[in-house]
Amino acid sequence: MSQLLTRVDRRAHIAILLLIAIAVLVPVLALATPPRSLFHLPPYLVALFGKYLCFALLAVALDLVWGYCGILSLGHGAFFALGGYCMGMYLMRQIGTRGVYADPILPDFMVFLNMKALPVTWWGFNHFPYALLMIVLVPGVLAFAFGWFAFRSRVTGVYLSIITQAMTYALLLAFFRNDMGFGGNNGLTDFKDILGFNVQSDATRAALFAITAIVLAATLLIAQLIVTSKFGKVLIAIRDAESRTRFIGYRVENYKLAVFTLSAVLAGIAGALYVPQVGIINPSEFAPTNSIEAVIWVAIGGRGTLVGGALGAVLVNWGKTYFTGALPEYWLFALGLLFILVTLFLPQGIVGLVSRRRTIPEAPRGGDVEEGKVDSADVPAAAR
Amino acid sequence: MDQATLTRSLLYLDGINVTFDGYKALRGLSLTLEPGEMRAIIGPNGAGKTTMMDVITGKTRPDEGDVYFGGSQDLTQLDEATIAELGIGRKFQKPTVFESHTVEDNILLALKAPRKAIATLFGRAAADQQSRIDRILETVRLSDHRDRFAADLSHGQKQWLEIGMLLAQDPKLLLVDEPVAGMTDSETAQTALLLKAIAEDHSVIVVEHDMDFVRELGVKVTVLHEGSVLAEGPLEAVSADPRVVEVYLGR
Amino acid sequence: MRVRNIAALLFLTFCLCTGLIANAHAQSFEEALAGFTTDEYSDTDKAITELAASGNPRAADIIGALQDGRLYFNTDAKKVYIKDKSDVPQDAATGTPASGVSADDLSPVRLNNRLRRTVDAALGGLTLLSNDPGRRFDAAQSVFKSREESALSALDTAIGKETDPRIKRALMEARAAILASKTDAAENVRLGAIETIRARGDQDALGLLSGIAAASEGPLRNAAQAGIGAIQAKLALWNNLQNVWYGLSLGSVLLLAAIGLAITFGVMGIINMAHGEMVMIGAYTTFVVQEYIRSHNPALFGMSLFIAIPLAFVVTGIIGIAIERSIIRFLYGRPLETLLATFGLSLILQQAVRTIFGANNREVGAPAFMSGTFDFGGLAITYGRMWIIAFAIIVFIALQLVLRLTPFGLRMRAVTQNRRMASAMGIDTNRIDALAFGLGSGIAGMAGVALSQIDNVSPNLGQSYIIDSFMVVVFGGVGNLWGTLVAAMTLGVANKFLEPFAGAVLGKIVLLIFIILFIQKRPRGLFALKGRAVEA
Ligand SMILES: Nc1ncnc2c1ncn2[C@@H]1O[C@H](COP(=O)(O)OP(=O)(O)OP(=O)(O)O)[C@@H](O)[C@H]1O
Ligand SMILES: [Mg+2]
């Protein structure tokens, strides 16, 4: 055990301890302090930061595949959204007769669409354990199936990025359709309670926040152990020189598949935690822009550092909340500029600024590119 | 197919053709390597030496021809990882090491051990792992650099590290593409010694342009030209062959 | 009733054929008009028929006004008036404004369903002999649909006089339509008519034959059913052709959107996520050009696209060069970083356009040559779509020529194939990079001009094309312009053929999934280049 813990670096130690601390502190400050007190946390802030932590979890998941294995997924928003929909379906079925149409089984939108019976896809979602299972399985199986095809036929680099983007785009279109049975355009909302607790209540909010913080801490710990294991070293080897890794006998596709699936499951969990805290899930979560935005959180925080992704997610979203409140016109300018400046001047991200250890190799500039390295630069003329 | 030669051989190439966009890189290349043999391959630039290694290691699929390993394994049907696990190791013409890993981790990754994802994730390190790594680092004289990032090594050191990774794999057959390019004379001599030591219990194919180095190895030489074998035999014999002279000097 | 109608039309025909003297015309015209003032349906009916037979040039206008409910009469004055669009009464007989008539004294000439048929037939007969070929054709078509037997004799006359083969055929078809459904006609006449209708072979002919097949038996029924079968087969063929045409039209849109990307991504290997925004800026250039023309020189509006095309090329080309010099050149060899930086750029460009022009759709007009439809065989072809297809092909050919024949194209290919060698040979690779990227962006801008004609011009315009464009380039095989062409057209046509079965959205999903699977089978696209450069 102690030997395992030595593999967790200082950054991750700090982050994990911090998360555990706020998991305890935030509910205390939100619930046990009088509203007037200086230390009191208003409930809306709890929900807001709970949301940020979900994004942080998504960013950690993304960093695992992109930062360590060089797979730039532009479709992680899809896994996030699928996890969210699974949770949303559980929450919908908890509404029961409290809906507008008071149908004990069918959610309101189904009654509205004149559906007679519950679609098969919704069966079992009234049981929380089943919903939990689906939160893991649905994104996991999709990622596995997708990766099985893609990695086996060696789709790499930007090609992979583009087809992941196409994947989430296809899902976006599909979920917009009413006859998919997932609420179409409006998605799922008006949730009442989760495991018998009112989702809107301050106590539930605080509890969800604490759970999210703990899950994030646990994820950071596990991810840190993975990337420092020999498995993690192989991932980094694949990122640096994919074909070289093959030539010393590693089945690159299996490694990629494993880490991609794991990452998708984590993204799904993040989505599932997100939905009860924001109270809605709709198809716009599948929008390709969302997935790309998640990538930029990781890039800003520091690719290949795990903690950096989480940090980037919180900072960028904090900025977004501020900007869209104060200067809505300028948020996209700011975000766009951030994309450009970070990729041009801060390739190691914020964490890379403060740590001396290189996290990702300097990319070759101009001149020749060494064999293997070009793997990630999988475009004809770009291989300069 | 010559059945007798095939079963006796460790590596058997017959009638290999490889075409890139109409350009014939290999034309009917045939070559056999006995178990335990070390072979030097020379030939002008573009003769197809690297392409031959690509074919053996599964990177390039030949349009035509047979490639057999150990008398029975058809390499044209296997992928790179399987071929590597069969026991064929390769050093690239341009040194390719894992730049963001330390020297030690580079050797660790290459070290002969289970390659499955499950094994690397949950498996325990073999007891003698550290001593094997130490021995290899000793051999390639990188012990002092074990904690440095491979990206920071000099060109020659990267060459050595790659040879070290090859040793760590402990393959039956080593394919070594231009191991001494960019090395000083004394480093070249040391590499020759090292290769000869390796050849005592491995089969080796060495591609090299440096004639002194090839002479140092003192093994059978195959001359490739325009994708097929031009001459084969001891270095003295082939370098006296007028066709070889023509190929090397006539341009 | 029928008989009288026929008689009247026969009379009309007779008049026209023999050219009765004008006096007689005038007299019967006056008398006929008076028939409208009694407010009796039977008199109105007679009046219509007589008016039609009078041969007076005002007849068509008057009956037309009656059809539109604009014909009024005054019982006391026994006069008839037409109210024009602004409700001003005119003297029906002369067509001049009627002074001193108060609207209160006028009552409308009323129609019932039976009268409406008389009106239609009379108008049909009148226009069958009109001087305007277009109106004659339309009249023949409306007779085909109404199958008013009373028009038969007028038709015969018209057929005799007609010289335009297209109209003549329409007239014959109209005649056949009447004869085929005329139960008291001889069987062989009806059979012959069915043949003619079958040869016409459109939806109307199909409806007519179905009616006949249902209402008759024996050889007639068989002939009608054979005709139905033949027409259905032919219609199915045309339907497929129409789908192909729609598909090509969609394909040309995809091609336009993707072809610039085929340069920047396909040839140069730059992942430009702001490509769609170049298209969008091209569309806004069109908007600005049209606004300027509207306020400065409206006469030039027809030329607006021809002004916008080169302007969009220059504007987006310059923006492209600026992007390459300021951002992309620092990221060569790092495609994923390029992707992110250019995505950031696309956000900025979108927001900039939103700030300048507002978030709503902007109205971009279509010049006259872009609007309207024509029929080609069984195809309905809109001019706008046709010109866009033509434009896409022209752009494609021009680009091929630039790449193959100009020194710039040669240098560009040299640089993308072997940068160091090209630079050693004295080619300024930086300049070529910038120009090539500018070229790709400029083409995207020109595409925007075309797309402004068929899509909403909004800041989000580009976003809707970017994924499709990448799909097209990747599907076609990176670095291969012909592949891009084939891929765009294939996807366009496939999309249109899927739509009837799967619906637009599902069809699109199916195609996306297909491409995802396809890339996995052939990671380098349809027409992959082999070789070291690609493999690397
Ligand atoms: N993937 C490829 N695509 C296109 N051409 C290739 C590819 N691989 C090799 N070639 C061509 O095949 C020929 C043989 O190349 P190869 O690398 O095998 O030569 P070599 O004998 O190793 O030369 P050198 O001594 O310079 O290393 C060359 O002309 C090369 O350009
Ligand atoms: Mg070589």
Side-chain angles (χ1 to χ4, degrees), chain B residues 18-21 23-26 41-54 59-60 93 177-178 207-209 224 227, chain C residues 530-536:
Chain B
V18 170
T19 315
F20 295 108
D21 296 324
Y23 177 76
K24 289 192 172 145
L26 293 182
I41 298 204
I42 60 172
N45 294 121
K49 305 178 295 290
T50 303
T51 307
M52 181 193 78
M53 294 198 168
D54 288 347
K59 184 178 181 202
T60 302
Q93 182 163 354
D177 203 348
E178 305 198 15
V207 166
E208 199 34 88
H209 287 295
L224 288 195
Chain C
K530 260 170 131 191
R532 232 168 219 179
V534 182
E535 220 174 74

